[in-house]
Amino acid sequence: MNKTIAVIGSLDTKHEEVGYLKQRLNALGLNAYLIDTSVLKHHVTEPEADMTREVLLASGGYGPDGLAGMKKSDAIQTVTNLVAQAVENLYRQGVIHGGIAAGGYQNSTMGSAALRRLPMGVPKVLVSAVVNSYLPTQMFTGQTDIIVIPSVADVVGLNSITRTIFDNACAAIAGIMRDGKPKYERDSREKLIAISSAGVTNTGVTYLCQHIREQGYVPVIFHGVTGGSRTMEDLAVEGTFDGLMDLDIHDLLVDALGYYVFSECDSQRLERMANLNMPTVVSFSGMDVIDMTRTFYESGDLPNREGRKVFKHSPEIYHVKVTLEEARKGAALMAKRLNAFTGPVAVVAPMRGFRDNTQPGDALYDPEVDACLRDTVKAALAPHVKWIEVDCNANDPLFAETVMSTWLQLVKERA
């Protein structure tokens, strides 16, 4: 296939395992470019590294002993930054066409940071001994398409278990190179509209997708609670989309409150969208509930837990209605970030609930909180941000029609 895969690992502790990965890739017709991420100096010469520890350190201006005076955590972070930049450079130069890394926590951290620098579609595999733990997998994948394979046994030595996992990991990369699409390229014939959504608004989004297709566009849906919305923003910044319908902005509420355990804080939701000049419709889904694990809800750490409305989404995930104070905080941040938009933007506000389970008699029905969210945003919006109210729930056909017509009006006004 004449393709080269970066094999990322620390030869001081993982030379046997890394060497086996290189051997298997070669057997599958792929070249291997071995990058040594060892923090400590060593005398391992087999397998031979294509980018030695010394060369990697020199790329950042460090000598062979440049890490000697650092704390271990600082040394690991230094090597992590260097290998990430090295992999990005090697890909841009056409030296490598994919990547694989294997190890425990340290090697998973360093290797995954490098793999995240590869573009979408480029094959990237992480074999990790820690992804079966309670650590969130997203700490290794970020918003990328890394294939994560639990190593089952620790990545220490070769045996029938680890060889099986390594063989399959290498076969996965070879299969993508042979039969897959190892680089994303946008189809110029498609006009893409990105939509942030969640299962609780799926009915309304289904109606919306029908309207989008009728207008000659192609909808691309991103899950608004599990990091998908930040992936959507990454792709929007790269110019992937012709428009945005950002209907689930749950991460923004996380930013405002800061004590979630199910979603990442400090996501800077909407901030990167402000200067894109892309027609954007925003709504309130995800702003009225806190998503949390059952253990956190039952721990007593949630402020003002008594009296809150709650819906058990699944045995392990609870949806908890925000308080009026939390609603005001979230709404204030929403208005602030929308006011920074320089391009065409509008807010479509459903008056009968932002998601399912918010109708009269439902577990999360709280018209006072919903009205607080709407009224606080409406009062704080700058004049250039359009405000549209629609007398329905976010899952009703009328909401979808209003979002579509509002977005088309923004397109006309921009033109």
Side-chain angles (χ1 to χ4, degrees):
M1 286 186 277
N2 197 29
K3 298 293 183 179
T4 300
I5 305 299
V7 179
I8 306 161
S10 303
L11 293 187
D12 57 346
T13 59
K14 305 295 179 190
H15 61 276
E16 186 178 19
E17 300 81 4
V18 170
Y20 186 79
L21 291 174
K22 181 176 181 178
Q23 173 189 330
R24 290 306 304 157
L25 290 170
N26 292 159
L28 292 166
L30 294 167
N31 301 316
Y33 187 99
L34 201 160
I35 304 174
D36 182 10
T37 57
S38 301
V39 172
L40 300 176
K41 292 177 67 175
H42 61 81
H43 301 289
V44 176
T45 58
E46 183 62 35
E48 182 179 357
D50 295 277
M51 180 176 288
T52 64
R53 172 185 182 274
E54 289 70 29
V55 171
L56 181 63
L57 292 178
S59 70
Y62 297 93
D65 299 313
L67 306 179
M70 295 185 185
K71 296 179 181 178
K72 182 178 180 181
S73 58
D74 293 336
I76 292 173
Q77 187 60 59
T78 298
V79 175
T80 299
N81 295 340
L82 292 177
V83 71
Q85 188 60 58
V87 165
E88 181 177 338
N89 292 341
L90 289 168
Y91 178 79
R92 288 180 176 176
Q93 295 162 7
V95 176
I96 62 172
H97 308 92
I100 187 170
Y105 181 76
Q106 177 177 320
N107 280 273
S108 295
T109 299
M110 294 190 294
S112 63
L115 295 176
R116 290 197 297 272
R117 295 293 187 94
L118 296 173
M120 181 172 62
V122 175
K124 48 188 90 67
V125 173
L126 172 67
V127 179
S128 175
V130 296
V131 295
N132 272 346
S133 71
Y134 286 101
L135 292 172
T137 304
Q138 192 183 43
M139 70 184 295
F140 302 116
T141 62
Q143 274 67 251
T144 67
D145 58 338
I146 293 177
I147 298 172
V148 179
I149 301 177
S151 62
V152 184
D154 199 357
V155 182
V156 180
L158 297 176
N159 51 65
S160 59
I161 294 176
T162 56
R163 282 195 297 269
T164 297
I165 302 298
F166 293 158
D167 287 356
N168 288 343
C170 293
I173 285 188
I176 294 172
M177 282 297 183
R178 183 184 64 248
D179 302 321
K181 191 173 184 180
K183 183 180 179 182
Y184 167 74
E185 293 180 353
R186 180 176 176 180
D187 188 337
S188 60
R189 298 168 296 179
E190 287 186 337
K191 296 184 292 183
L192 304 180
I193 295 180
I195 307 170
S196 62
S197 177
V200 295
T201 56
N202 185 65
T203 301
V205 169
T206 299
Y207 292 129
L208 179 58
C209 288
Q210 180 178 344
H211 292 299
I212 290 172
R213 295 187 183 98
E214 290 171 353
Q215 294 294 328
Y217 294 89
V218 177
V220 184
I221 316 300
F222 294 86
H223 200 289
V225 181
T226 57
S229 56
R230 294 189 292 283
T231 303
M232 179 186 74
E233 291 187 343
D234 289 343
L235 294 172
V237 170
E238 295 173 5
T240 303
F241 306 118
D242 296 284
L244 291 172
M245 296 177 180
D246 206 349
L247 307 183
D248 192 301
I249 54 175
H250 183 75
D251 286 341
L252 192 146
L253 181 66
V254 176
D255 286 352
L257 302 184
Y259 50 70
Y260 285 60
V261 295
F262 190 63
S263 298
E264 180 182 353
C265 298
D266 301 322
S267 67
Q268 287 82 50
R269 277 288 272 122
L270 297 180
E271 289 187 343
R272 291 181 296 166
M273 307 296 98
N275 297 316
L276 292 186
N277 195 33
M278 183 181 299
T280 301
V281 174
V282 178
S283 193
F284 284 90
S285 175
M287 290 295 289
D288 61 332
V289 293
I290 303 169
D291 287 330
M292 63 184 58
T293 61
R294 174 186 57 81
T295 52
F296 181 77
Y297 178 77
E298 294 177 350
S299 69
D301 293 333
L302 176 66
N304 305 309
R305 195 188 87 165
E306 298 301 323
R308 286 182 185 261
K309 296 179 181 293
V310 60
F311 176 77
K312 294 183 179 180
H313 181 66
S314 71
E316 293 299 324
I317 302 300
Y318 287 13
H319 292 170
V320 182
K321 196 79 172 185
V322 297
T323 64
L324 286 171
E325 179 183 359
E326 291 165 344
R328 292 188 188 98
K329 287 182 179 179
L333 184 60
M334 178 178 174
K336 178 182 178 181
R337 293 189 179 175
L338 287 174
N339 288 342
F341 271 60
T342 58
V345 59
V347 179
V348 175
M351 305 300 286
R352 297 183 180 273
F354 307 142
R355 42 162 289 158
D356 64 8
N357 295 306
T358 56
Q359 301 288 346
D362 288 342
L364 299 175
Y365 176 67
D366 195 330
E368 186 179 10
V369 165
D370 293 354
C372 178
L373 281 163
R374 288 191 302 265
D375 295 346
T376 303
V377 171
K378 182 178 180 181
L381 283 181
H384 72 280
V385 182
K386 294 182 179 298
W387 175 266
I388 295 94
E389 295 178 359
V390 55
D391 189 24
C392 66
N393 184 273
N395 278 316
D396 293 340
L398 180 58
F399 176 75
E401 294 170 11
T402 305
V403 170
M404 189 75 251
S405 62
T406 301
W407 186 82
L408 291 172
Q409 184 61 34
L410 294 177
V411 173
K412 290 181 180 179
E413 293 178 2
R414 183 180 68 166

